[in-house]
Amino acid sequence: MITVYLIRHGEVAGNEGPEPTYAGRTDFALNARGEQQAAALAEAMQKIHLDAVYCSSLQRTRQTARMGAQNHQLEITANAAWDELDYGDWEELTVPQIEEGWGSMWQERQADPVHVRAPNGESYEDLWRRLQPAWVELLTQHDNQAVAVFSHKGSIRILLAALLGTPLNNFKRIDSSNTGVSCIQLDQPNAIPLIRYINDTSHLKFHSRQL
């Protein structure tokens, strides 16, 4: 049995609030709330057996991974294939700012986010093209093991949509909260994946007064 825990990083500037911004490849560090979320996650993960830990190349996932895996005494492998979507010229902008500058393109992307790229950025099809080989390699290298992958909202939602066998444009129907955990199990690398749960944030409820 292969068990993979897909975990989104803790909160960074722009993730929350009335006008969130697109972080994408901008290399934000965790904010104070994000560090608290990662600490709550680390406490919950003490009970989970892990054989390997992966993260994207961005510091918000590296920070979350270090805290989440701190009691497992494992090296963390960074892989840029797990990076967030590159939003190009839309990085660090709010939706109203994007609409003001690229109104027609924004509408095109809303209608077809899988194929329409942000200016100088990626489409979700591009993301899946780089993510799929990393997923296959992960399963091949860790047969009969448990692995944690610390990644990003876009990457996690696209992967889950693909594993569920739904068209990729349904990824927006899948939520991925900061430090939310999704669990996938397979009998062997080429088996049909079983999605055990999606976006579990129960570890945060016990820390609600601090978060």
Side-chain angles (χ1 to χ4, degrees):
M1 178 73 72
I2 306 168
T3 302
V4 181
Y5 300 97
L6 295 176
I7 306 166
R8 187 185 175 196
H9 59 81
E11 184 180 306
V12 300
N15 278 169
E16 301 295 338
E19 293 291 349
T21 60
Y22 285 94
R25 298 290 183 84
T26 304
D27 202 12
F28 288 119
L30 297 181
N31 61 20
R33 181 181 173 91
E35 291 178 351
Q36 291 177 329
Q37 292 168 337
L41 173 69
E43 183 176 337
M45 289 187 69
Q46 292 182 39
K47 304 172 184 179
I48 298 174
H49 169 77
L50 291 176
D51 296 291
V53 179
Y54 287 80
C55 68
S56 82
S57 69
L58 301 173
Q59 65 174 320
R60 55 191 183 269
T61 63
R62 295 199 307 271
Q63 289 176 286
T64 310
R66 281 197 297 268
M67 295 181 71
Q70 62 188 351
N71 296 304
H72 294 274
Q73 299 180 334
L74 294 169
E75 293 288 333
I76 298 171
T77 301
N79 184 347
W82 292 95
D83 283 0
E84 180 59 291
L85 185 81
D86 186 346
Y87 285 99
D89 295 347
W90 296 350
E91 296 268 328
E92 299 187 68
L93 298 182
T94 65
V95 170
Q97 288 172 327
I98 296 171
E99 289 179 318
E100 181 178 353
W102 298 270
S104 61
M105 180 176 286
W106 174 252
Q107 293 303 320
E108 290 175 12
R109 188 177 179 278
Q110 290 300 99
D112 186 9
V114 172
H115 300 102
V116 177
R117 296 180 180 88
N120 298 308
E122 291 181 301
S123 68
Y124 280 96
E125 184 178 48
D126 296 327
L127 189 158
W128 176 235
R129 190 177 293 116
R130 65 172 159 84
L131 184 59
Q132 184 180 27
W135 173 250
V136 172
E137 181 181 14
L138 183 83
L139 299 181
T140 302
Q141 291 185 352
H142 297 286
D143 195 9
N144 293 315
Q145 292 186 337
V147 182
V149 181
F150 292 81
S151 190
H152 303 266
K153 185 175 184 177
S155 303
I156 290 171
R157 296 201 294 175
I158 280 292
L159 177 57
L160 288 173
L163 296 181
L164 287 166
T166 184
L168 291 183
N169 59 9
N170 284 329
F171 77 91
K172 286 191 173 183
R173 303 185 183 196
I174 301 170
D175 198 8
S176 180
S177 305
N178 290 118
T179 68
V181 183
S182 300
C183 179
I184 300 99
Q185 290 187 318
L186 306 90
D187 291 330
Q188 55 189 14
N190 60 352
I192 296 173
L194 176 64
I195 313 297
R196 286 291 185 185
Y197 51 84
I198 292 175
N199 197 39
D200 178 13
T201 57
S202 58
H203 54 280
L204 299 180
K205 295 178 183 178
F206 297 103
H207 297 260
S208 58
R209 292 182 181 179
Q210 290 77 30
L211 301 178

